[in-house]
Amino acid sequence: MKNYTKIKDISNLSETIKESILLKMNPFEFQDLGKYKTLVMLFFNSSLRTRLSTEKAAKNLGMEVMILNVNDAWNLEFEDGTIMNLDKSEHVKEAAQVISQYADIIAVRAFPTLKNKAKDESEYVINSFKKYATVPVLNMESATAHPLQALADAITISELTEKAKPKVVISWAPHPKALPQAVPNSFIEMMQHLEIDLTITHPKGYELNVAITKDTPINYNQDDALKDADFVYVKNWSSYNDYGKVINQDENWMMTKAKLGHAKFMHCLPVRRNVVVEDAVLDSEQSVVIQQANNRTYAAQVVLKQILENL
Ligand code: SN0
């Protein structure tokens, strides 16, 4: 693998899922692969799981890890040809080339503005690093995608499914803040590649980009959508059409034990208790969020392994 900035960078998904489950059973099998190699992780935003699981994955492969919270460094300019006489101290052109001398792989987390749709969709942060870095780039959640989370979700469903073709529902939930569409985008795209029956449910106005949802059925009736579900993935996202806006906070969309039925409950975390999902769900055996978070390590590890093998 050259870079992992999108799900399509995985050449063989079913093999990759199998390989990650093998890594989970034997995490130190390739501990020499990353010897003398360095992962530099750049954070433009907060992180808990991504930071720790990706660092753990790199260390399981014998890599060194350096982490930079970019907000503690220089304010980066991404536009071409600007006169840099305002608040931006360094251009990404220099920064990416310099970091490439210290790193064998550069991982980037950069959330969207949720204000400028065209700018967010251009993926200017991760794509600038891809353009100017001379080493592979790993997406740790960009403006429109979170492919490491989606891979961990695919691993989790593969581990837990008791059916050849389980029914998976992604259900919008209320939230006080405007959140990105990155997690649902990547989850939906990932599910479209697996042998599963996917339904999307959300209030009107929360339609995601049709380039992502394609022909996946959208049911505006949550109860109806949830019928006979095997896995229910709950996530808030802000409006895509009324870009970045919170247009509805209807608490009736919160996931409850009654609505969940016999399904497994999934969420990428962090989750707002009793807003997105009630305690009774998170504290039940049906919640698999802790297992999902554990699988973040093996998702990152299989991706780092495939990139290291290609260096
Ligand atoms: C991020 C998101 O994309 O929705 C990261 C998820 C992996 N989530 C949040 O920003 C939640 C913030 C909050 O205050 O609940």
Side-chain angles (χ1 to χ4, degrees), residues 109 111 141 146 149 175 177 179-180 182-183 235-236 268-270 272:
R109 162 160 287 193
F111 289 171
E141 190 172 348
H146 196 354
Q149 180 67 49
H175 198 285
K177 275 169 53 180
L179 297 189
V183 169
K235 184 71 185 85
N236 168 268
C268 61
L269 304 180
R272 304 274 188 133

Side-chain angles (χ1 to χ4, degrees), residues 12-279:
N12 188 330
L13 182 58
S14 58
E15 279 306 311
T16 299
I17 293 171
K18 277 187 207 141
E19 198 182 351
S20 61
I21 294 171
L22 291 175
L23 286 171
K24 190 174 181 177
M25 292 192 283
N26 199 356
F28 305 114
E29 191 181 348
F30 300 96
Q31 59 181 338
D32 294 329
L33 186 65
K35 204 175 171 193
Y36 306 131
K37 302 278 191 246
T38 301
L39 172 69
V40 169
M41 297 166 68
L42 305 177
F43 288 93
F44 289 84
N45 312 94
S46 307
S47 175
L48 187 152
R49 276 149 293 281
T50 299
R51 176 168 172 167
L52 295 177
S53 65
T54 308
E55 178 167 0
K56 185 175 164 81
K59 288 182 170 167
N60 285 350
L61 294 166
M63 296 186 83
E64 297 293 329
V65 179
M66 298 196 291
I67 298 173
L68 183 66
N69 294 318
V70 185
N71 301 327
D72 298 337
W74 301 111
N75 202 355
L76 291 183
E77 175 64 67
F78 289 91
E79 300 279 330
D80 239 350
T82 42
I83 299 169
M84 289 169 56
N85 61 355
L86 296 171
D87 58 328
K88 308 281 171 60
S89 310
E90 176 163 8
H91 201 283
V92 66
K93 280 188 194 181
E94 281 75 47
Q97 291 181 75
V98 168
I99 297 164
S100 297
Q101 298 179 114
Y102 312 146
D104 297 279
I105 302 174
I106 300 175
V108 180
R109 162 160 287 193
F111 289 171
T113 63
L114 291 179
K115 289 184 171 63
N116 187 333
K117 189 178 198 170
K119 201 171 164 194
D120 289 346
E121 294 201 314
S122 76
E123 288 284 12
Y124 66 99
V125 177
I126 197 122
N127 281 337
S128 297
F129 277 96
K130 240 170 118 172
K131 185 170 175 188
Y132 299 117
T134 53
V135 298
V137 174
L138 175 63
N139 183 340
M140 298 195 295
E141 190 172 348
S142 65
T144 68
H146 196 354
L148 281 175
Q149 180 67 49
L151 182 54
D153 298 335
I155 295 166
T156 309
I157 292 174
S158 305
E159 285 177 328
L160 290 169
T161 188
E162 289 163 1
K163 294 185 185 163
K165 194 169 184 181
K167 178 174 173 183
V168 179
V169 180
I170 177 163
S171 181
W172 179 90
H175 198 285
K177 275 169 53 180
L179 297 189
Q181 294 100 24
V183 169
N185 282 347
S186 291
F187 181 74
I188 291 164
E189 193 182 336
M190 179 60 81
M191 292 303 113
Q192 288 165 346
H193 286 96
L194 300 180
E195 268 302 300
I196 63 123
D197 165 15
L198 181 66
T199 298
I200 303 169
T201 182
H202 55 68
K204 287 212 165 103
Y206 278 105
E207 291 76 12
L208 292 158
N209 187 349
V210 290
I212 302 270
T213 55
K214 299 193 177 102
D215 56 1
T216 299
I218 298 168
N219 190 337
Y220 297 112
N221 182 328
Q222 191 191 34
D223 289 332
D224 193 42
L226 290 171
K227 273 198 195 104
D228 302 318
D230 297 298
F231 295 90
V232 176
Y233 201 101
V234 177
K235 184 71 185 85
N236 168 268
W237 59 87
S238 58
S239 174
Y240 176 74
N241 292 324
D242 192 358
Y243 191 65
K245 296 284 185 331
V246 176
I247 54 172
N248 180 339
Q249 287 186 298
D250 186 353
E251 58 195 44
N252 292 314
W253 279 79
M254 177 175 79
M255 189 50 54
T256 63
K257 201 93 195 277
K259 287 188 208 171
L260 188 63
H262 296 291
K264 302 265 188 239
F265 171 81
M266 300 181 75
H267 191 283
C268 61
L269 304 180
V271 71
R272 304 274 188 133
R273 281 178 173 256
N274 304 310
V275 177
V276 169
V277 53
E278 66 175 3
D279 282 340

